[in-house]
Amino acid sequence: MNAPDRTLTVALLAVPDAAASTLLSLYDVFSSVGRDWEVLIEGRPPRPRMRPIIVAESSGRLSVANGIYLDAECGFDQCTRPDIVCVPDLLISPATFARGQHPAAIQWLTACHASGSLITSACSGALLLAEAGLLDGQEATIHWAYGDTMRLHFPEVRLRANQTLVSSGIGQRVVTAGGGASWQDLALFLIAREAGLDQAMHIAKLYLFEWHDRGQTPYAALVRSARSEDGLVSEAQSWLANNFDRPHPVSSVIARSGLPERTFKRRFVQAAGMSAMEYVHTLRLEAAKQRLETSQEIVESIAESVGYEDASFFRRLFRRKVGMTPAEYRRRFSGLRSAVTDSSHSGS
């Protein structure tokens, strides 16, 4: 699918709640393809391979998320068949998402896809692709915090929330990227696919990009803060949050509820979307992740402190739920915390 003899047009969608950071970062990266490596490393004239443009409902200045102003180079009616369309993440609350906020953008996305454009999204931008019907019956990913929102509003989407990058549709012409820095994976993937693998490797080296091959699970919070609307279950969740490290917490919370065991368990699953025991596991694992990030305790000690007598079981469960072993998690995430802590102490 590479097009070595022409410059590809990459349309970056700007809507009022678009994140300027992702949009402008993609702009810079795509502008670098065929230019920076050639000039900085090989000492030869640049040969740009991609031309990013900011596209909005109409050309001119517009305000996006956080009150940042951008200049859209053209309106939807002036950009009818770009080679690639990128939808950046949207700074919206998962709980307040509603259809119908960007009708012109939805119509434009649908038209671009029909004309043959490669349609892509980063993070929560996948919600617009879903609203445009481009993900109906297709696999897709999204930032892990928006997984429930996607499932609620677009149940026809086959969500693969753990994956960093998913290609789907006829000709694999719809590409969704997960959360946060996975826009980098999206950029590298598109550069490799459309401009060549060597170009993608050049960009990865120049920008120090890493491929998030472990998916989103290691970064995801296993427990959401929202409580159930069922008062009894909400009270049970609160009690478990403070007592998950006790022996047999589920039996205790059932006894506190005054309900028959079978009734309580059925009601908990209906309200919380998981069993009470699974909820306890998520609480325990989140606590374990925090201790792995902040201490040098041995794994056996951490397992016991969060409620597991069997450290082997804890290791297996941690790997299955988090996507890496406790030791791997500590190596990946404790370093950042230590670096920030050491830096703040040295500056005081």
Side-chain angles (χ1 to χ4, degrees):
M1 300 185 68
N2 297 344
D5 296 325
R6 71 182 181 90
T7 301
L8 300 168
T9 300
V10 184
L12 305 173
L13 175 62
V15 293
D17 41 20
S21 58
T22 301
L23 192 152
L24 294 176
S25 294
L26 287 169
Y27 195 106
D28 282 345
V29 169
F30 290 136
S31 296
S32 297
V33 181
R35 184 190 69 185
D36 292 0
W37 183 272
E38 285 72 7
V39 172
L40 296 173
I41 308 303
E42 297 178 351
R44 59 186 179 88
R47 184 170 166 242
R49 302 291 302 280
M50 292 180 157
R51 175 178 173 259
I53 57 174
I54 298 176
V55 182
E57 185 169 357
S58 58
S59 60
R61 199 171 191 227
L62 75 153
S63 175
V64 294
N66 293 325
I68 296 173
Y69 283 89
L70 299 175
D71 289 314
E73 298 168 59
C74 62
F76 295 150
D77 59 342
Q78 301 166 296
C79 184
T80 57
R81 193 175 180 179
D83 295 290
I84 303 170
V85 174
C86 290
V87 181
D89 50 315
L90 310 176
L91 266 61
I92 56 175
S93 166
T96 59
F97 169 78
R99 296 178 185 237
Q101 301 302 303
H102 307 290
I106 297 301
Q107 184 177 1
W108 178 71
L109 287 171
T110 304
C112 286
H113 183 261
S115 70
S117 300
L118 173 60
I119 311 295
T120 72
S121 67
C123 194
S124 54
L127 292 169
L128 292 190
L129 271 59
E131 187 173 350
L134 303 181
L135 301 179
D136 288 355
Q138 304 296 331
E139 293 188 343
T141 189
I142 196 170
H143 189 291
W144 53 265
Y146 290 84
D148 290 343
T149 302
M150 179 70 88
R151 294 184 187 94
L152 175 64
H153 292 274
F154 306 103
E156 62 276 16
V157 177
R158 295 156 58 195
L159 192 61
R160 301 291 182 262
N162 177 49
Q163 294 181 224
T164 304
L165 200 72
V166 174
S167 298
S168 60
I170 298 175
Q172 303 292 288
R173 288 196 300 110
V174 178
V175 183
T176 51
S182 63
W183 68 262
Q184 299 173 14
D185 300 76
L186 176 63
L188 292 177
F189 177 81
L190 294 177
I191 294 167
R193 173 171 166 166
E194 303 299 324
L197 180 58
D198 286 345
Q199 291 291 344
M201 294 300 294
H202 294 166
I203 292 297
K205 292 174 181 178
L206 286 174
Y207 282 84
L208 306 185
F209 284 168
E210 292 186 7
W211 189 261
H212 297 89
D213 57 341
R214 289 185 178 272
Q216 297 194 79
T217 301
Y219 304 88
L222 300 176
V223 182
R224 306 293 189 267
S225 59
R227 297 295 184 196
S228 166
E229 295 181 0
D230 184 320
L232 184 143
V233 173
S234 178
E235 184 179 345
Q237 288 177 303
S238 296
W239 188 88
L240 289 171
N242 293 312
N243 297 276
F244 61 83
D245 53 346
R246 292 188 178 191
H248 312 297
V250 174
S251 298
S252 298
V253 79
I254 291 174
R256 286 173 55 86
S257 74
L259 295 177
E261 179 177 349
R262 180 174 296 181
T263 302
F264 175 89
K265 289 183 175 180
R266 184 179 64 251
R267 190 162 160 181
F268 195 99
V269 169
Q270 289 175 341
M274 65 178 74
S275 71
M277 192 66 245
E278 186 178 359
Y279 189 74
V280 169
H281 285 319
T282 61
L283 292 167
R284 288 175 171 178
L285 291 176
E286 282 296 336
K289 287 163 65 176
Q290 180 75 8
R291 294 177 86 100
L292 287 165
E293 292 175 25
T294 59
S295 77
Q296 293 302 314
E297 287 181 82
I298 62 174
V299 172
E300 288 77 8
S301 176
I302 291 176
E304 184 177 0
S305 70
V306 298
Y308 295 110
E309 296 181 0
D310 186 343
S312 296
F313 173 80
F314 166 73
R315 284 190 174 92
R316 292 194 301 272
L317 180 67
F318 193 97
R319 182 163 190 165
R320 188 171 78 248
K321 294 290 189 180
V322 181
M324 57 178 63
T325 67
E328 289 171 331
Y329 184 89
R330 170 173 275 159
R331 283 194 296 271
R332 173 162 294 198
F333 292 101
S334 66
L336 172 60
R337 188 181 291 272
S338 296
V340 172
T341 302
D342 292 345
S343 175
S344 62
H345 287 167
S346 63
S348 58

